[in-house]
DNA sequence: TTTT
DNA sequence: TTTT
């Protein structure tokens, strides 16, 4: 069991790349407000690195922008890489497999983007709308290596 | 492990009662949108019964109203009771221990209620504000029966 | 967002059926221990109804038995049905989309069942083994109605 | 909303320290098995850094050892610190607020440790026993800074 | 109607 | 390196 559930806002526009095998990867940082203020009465946030793969990566790149408020679920992944100084560096990020749109980060409505977010939350029938269509990158399931038993 | 995480809107104003021992209990129903439309292209929702105890019950009763958008975490509880027809009836509800305010259900600002939610989500600096102060009903911890080992 | 994460034991063998459309559904009840004893010092449990669909339903029916300890994640679903007495009855159950095997409910090893659970947890390299291969019933994704935007 | 739920095993004995203000902090690394094997058919795990505060830190230090199988819930926290080379380094760890014991990492029973875990999981009446008594470090709640509204 |  |  390895589950992460977050609610927050993109700190910048997502960045999509393609792996050498042609698979899309989108990355962004999510600002997640802490429940409690710190000693100085300041509201703080945690900035969590998010990774999205495959078809969802394309949706994320297309529909999310800096300031978008989303909820997501995924799993924690720890990996290491060689830094420029030759040292091994360890980072942990969240691989999202489900992203839900909560509200736009844009003041002006995102015309043509697939969402019509209005300013009145209670009239918006697209709050909590799901941005993503799939619960993971399924075609991976085709080869045996992915069968977990 | 018994965790539930929900994001949705109150279908009506919360109702607070006091137990005979003087403890506050607040109940409401939360509409949680499904990710996928049904065969008829209709958006559906699940309506989940939420229970909140103690100090948080008071906060919930005070700050939440029909239409409030909240995220919450808690645990699933199954209980049975004797129905009017003498039969045993089984119900399962979510006992919330953490509630976060996402957006108001009110068009007009909730003056004096502790939140100043405006109608424009992107200008609201109190999105994701926490409504609740405690992570469970702690004074229960005082007596031995609550120690889990 | 609608997430449930549970860790518990099957109270009986799972029951698989097939819908009229030929889709497998497996149901069982999961006993989830409460963290705290009640006033009488008694350990209690919640008994949660679990539903599994599709390919996973078949796996669950095949590999899980009364007493199996599993962790699962899924979503809460509330539905109503007509009871025998003609009344509308409301029930909420957990639709599991990911099930992980933690330990067998059998004293004797489950020879031939795909798991070789030994009695020494620390030597068992198949603890937490995933029983299920898919994260939902994906072929649903094929038709437009399931696209959430 | 910031929730993490993990099921895994301690990779080493937990380490407890005391802050200058006299508060206990315990740290350990949790090996969380991945659901799917990698391309080479190898089972992999993520190694997640866990932090526990206050009274729970003491319990964790006392009852958990290398190999203990636990489930936990908590929140993701990202922080930065100055590395030896003067550079800012970013790390994210899980602050656990609820830990449940699933099985011991010890072959021999942990006599006197509060758990009597035997080597046969199905006979152990303390599976899923809760190690921790509190759901966070509550006395923090006493001062105003912690009130989230 | 409940598991270990 | 951070969002509202």
């Amino acid at each position: 069991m390895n589950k992460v559930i977050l609610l927050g806002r993109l700190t910048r526009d997502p960045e999509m790349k393609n792996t050498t095998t042609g698979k899309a990867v989108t990355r962004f940082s999510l600002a997640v407000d802490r429940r409690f203020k710190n000693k100085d009465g300041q509201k703080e946030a945690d900035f969590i690195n998010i990774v999205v793969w495959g078809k969802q990566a394309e949706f994320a790149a297309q529909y999310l922008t800096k300031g978008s408020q989303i909820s997501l679920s995924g799993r924690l992944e720890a990996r290491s890489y060689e830094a420029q100084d030759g040292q091994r560096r360890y980072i942990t990020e969240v691989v999202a497999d489900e992203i839900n749109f909560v509200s736009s980060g844009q003041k002006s409505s995102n015309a043509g983007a697939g969402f019509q977010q209005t300013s009145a939350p209670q009239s918006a029938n697209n709050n909590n709308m799901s941005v993503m269509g799939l619960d993971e990158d399924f075609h991976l399931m085709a080869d045996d290596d992915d069968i977990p038993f």
Side-chain angles (χ1 to χ4, degrees), chain A:
Chain A
M1 182 60 51
N2 180 339
K3 281 283 167 210
V4 179
I5 295 112
L6 300 173
L7 176 62
R9 290 181 184 276
L10 300 231
T11 63
R12 40 184 162 75
D13 287 348
E15 283 174 22
M16 193 177 97
K17 286 186 187 176
N18 277 88
T19 66
T20 52
T21 70
K23 197 161 161 175
V25 210
T26 296
R27 290 170 184 277
F28 54 85
S29 159
L30 196 72
V32 180
D33 286 342
R34 294 206 178 150
R35 267 170 78 73
F36 301 112
K37 298 180 183 146
N38 66 13
K39 327 92 227 150
D40 312 320
Q42 231 79 55
K43 266 249 147 193
E44 283 181 297
D46 290 288
F47 297 93
I48 311 292
N49 290 318
I50 313 293
V51 187
V52 198
W53 288 93
K55 207 167 182 185
Q56 301 207 57
E58 295 167 35
F59 289 132
Q62 193 171 359
Y63 295 121
L64 303 181
T65 60
K66 177 176 175 172
S68 295
Q69 187 183 208
I70 61 172
S71 68
L72 65 82
S73 88
R75 66 179 197 280
L76 259 183
E77 211 168 280
R79 58 187 185 78
S80 67
Y81 63 95
E82 182 118 4
Q84 307 93 301
D85 60 6
Q87 280 197 296
R88 191 128 294 265
R89 208 60 50 80
Y90 296 87
I91 86 162
T92 108
E93 41 201 9
V94 171
V95 180
D97 51 34
E98 185 185 318
I99 298 185
N100 288 76
F101 193 77
V102 177
S103 78
S104 162
Q106 302 299 127
K107 198 158 214 135
S108 55
S109 83
N110 247 11
F115 296 121
Q116 316 89 252
Q117 179 76 16
T118 71
S119 57
Q122 67 277 23
S123 74
N125 60 353
N126 51 0
N127 268 0
N128 300 357
M129 199 183 206
S130 281
V131 177
M132 303 308 156
L134 299 178
D135 264 355
E136 277 224 31
D137 207 359
F138 304 137
H139 48 276
L140 274 181
M141 302 304 309
D143 44 24
D144 271 5
D145 298 341
D146 293 294
I147 305 295
F149 49 91

